[in-house]
Amino acid sequence: MTSANPLPVSFEFFPPKTPEGVAKLRTVRQALYARRPQFCSVTYGAGGSTQQGTFGAVAEILAEGVDAASHFSCIGATRESVRAQLAELRAMGVRRLVALRGDLPSGYGAGGAFQYASDLVAFIRAETGDAFHIEVAAYPEVHPQARSPEADFAAFAAKARAGADGAITQYFYNADAFFRFRDECQRQGLDLPIVPGIMPITSSTQLMRFSDACGAEIPRWIRLRLQAFGDDTAAIKAFGLDVVAGLCERLRAGGAPALHFYTMNQSAATLALCDRLGL
Ligand code: FAD
């Protein structure tokens, strides 16, 4: 059963590394634009991607008439390099950022002008005022490097108070973690919208690999069911669609303000979810 009110959606992509990948992503985007996304975002620096790749994809999305958010990570950056990139993004007509610390390369110690994403948000606000709508990352299941859940929440609150307009969560399959996080924000007077990040389930091994790295918990019953499907990708996709659509329905019923889909540069699984949800 789907509810009457469609939720706003947004779609996340990563910058392709090959000309074939660039061409394929154009087709994927066109298929997803039919769902009238609020914006599409492009990751930055993850998996060895370059600034050029991110900015290039962002420019294409804007040229296609869709609002685009550039992810912006600050690991190892200087004030000057961030200032220059912000100026370039403004000149391109970008009005949305997802401001992040970024993942630490192994062996990376302290360095760069920005230690945490909250430092970056404060800097962007100080430099550019309200020129950008700034989203930050939120971790309902706690960031894997956090000292404690309380310290992680305090770090999130610092990003909100530094001037974030909204937050997008790491993906999760446990709706209660999201609701608890959202309720804690309200209790602490943080009134920015917290948008759940939704990862479609299409492959067992890929999901396990990502989730171990980013600290997203795969509930035991999902893990065991996925393992039992073995190589039966059709069964995995059908099960994944049921599970993730059910999660989205719970989030919608519980008042999630929008849904942000981690598309992995594929349209089929996200479109199937949107169909199931009437989005
Ligand atoms: P922060 O908010 O700075 O937090 C990082 C860690 O430091 C946390 O453990 C936090 O608890 C701790 N911390 C923060 N402030 C303090 C403080 N003052 N004192 C002590 N501890 C503190 N990565 C990419 O490389 N490119 C991307 O495009 C990208 N996009 C993402 C989009 C979303 C929606 C999400 C959820 C994640 C994304 N990531 C991306 C991953 C992200 O960069 C990593 O999770 C990274 O490890 C943390 O980034 P952050 O901005 O959340 O960092």
Side-chain angles (χ1 to χ4, degrees), residues 131-153:
F132 293 105
H133 178 100
I134 304 175
E135 309 272 358
V136 290
Y139 301 87
E141 294 183 327
V142 183
H143 186 266
Q145 288 148 12
R147 279 197 304 251
S148 67
E150 293 75 20
D152 202 38
F153 193 86

Side-chain angles (χ1 to χ4, degrees), residues 27-245:
T27 312
V28 165
R29 284 199 305 265
Q30 289 305 328
L32 289 169
Y33 287 165
R35 306 308 161 117
R36 299 180 172 277
Q38 223 176 9
F39 65 93
C40 290
S41 79
V42 185
T43 63
Y44 182 99
S49 61
T50 60
Q51 175 194 315
Q52 207 184 6
T54 302
F55 285 18
V58 164
E60 283 201 27
I61 293 167
L62 288 173
E64 289 159 350
V66 173
D67 205 359
S70 186
H71 290 219
F72 198 111
S73 65
C74 59
I75 283 289
T78 63
R79 286 185 174 74
E80 291 66 36
S81 68
V82 169
R83 204 173 273 136
Q85 288 181 36
L86 291 173
E88 191 173 338
L89 288 167
R90 280 180 88 165
M92 286 164 59
V94 176
R95 293 290 171 264
R96 281 179 177 269
L97 300 176
V98 181
L100 303 144
R101 182 193 68 178
D103 277 321
L104 300 171
S106 56
Y108 186 92
F114 306 91
Q115 200 173 359
Y116 298 114
S118 51
D119 303 328
L120 177 65
V121 174
F123 183 79
I124 297 172
R125 279 286 175 246
E127 290 279 314
T128 63
D130 289 334
F132 293 105
H133 178 100
I134 304 175
E135 309 272 358
V136 290
Y139 301 87
E141 294 183 327
V142 183
H143 186 266
Q145 288 148 12
R147 279 197 304 251
S148 67
E150 293 75 20
D152 202 38
F153 193 86
F156 176 75
K159 293 192 277 196
R161 296 196 173 110
D165 296 296
I168 302 171
T169 75
Q170 184 57 277
Y171 68 88
F172 56 86
Y173 296 104
N174 176 1
D176 288 332
F178 172 81
F179 292 128
R180 273 191 166 266
F181 186 90
R182 193 250 340 247
D183 293 350
E184 186 60 22
C185 288
Q186 284 169 1
R187 256 193 299 281
Q188 298 209 18
L190 307 173
D191 61 1
L192 70 177
I194 316 289
V195 173
I198 304 296
M199 178 69 89
I201 297 178
T202 57
S203 142
S204 174
T205 41
Q206 190 191 41
L207 186 69
M208 303 299 170
R209 191 161 34 87
F210 276 147
S211 305
D212 285 348
C214 70
E217 191 197 31
I218 310 297
R220 178 180 150 82
W221 67 276
I222 296 182
R223 194 177 278 267
L224 290 177
R225 292 290 304 272
L226 288 173
Q227 281 164 359
F229 289 129
D231 293 336
D232 187 348
T233 46
I236 291 172
K237 285 179 183 172
F239 172 73
L241 177 59
D242 273 351
V243 168
V244 180

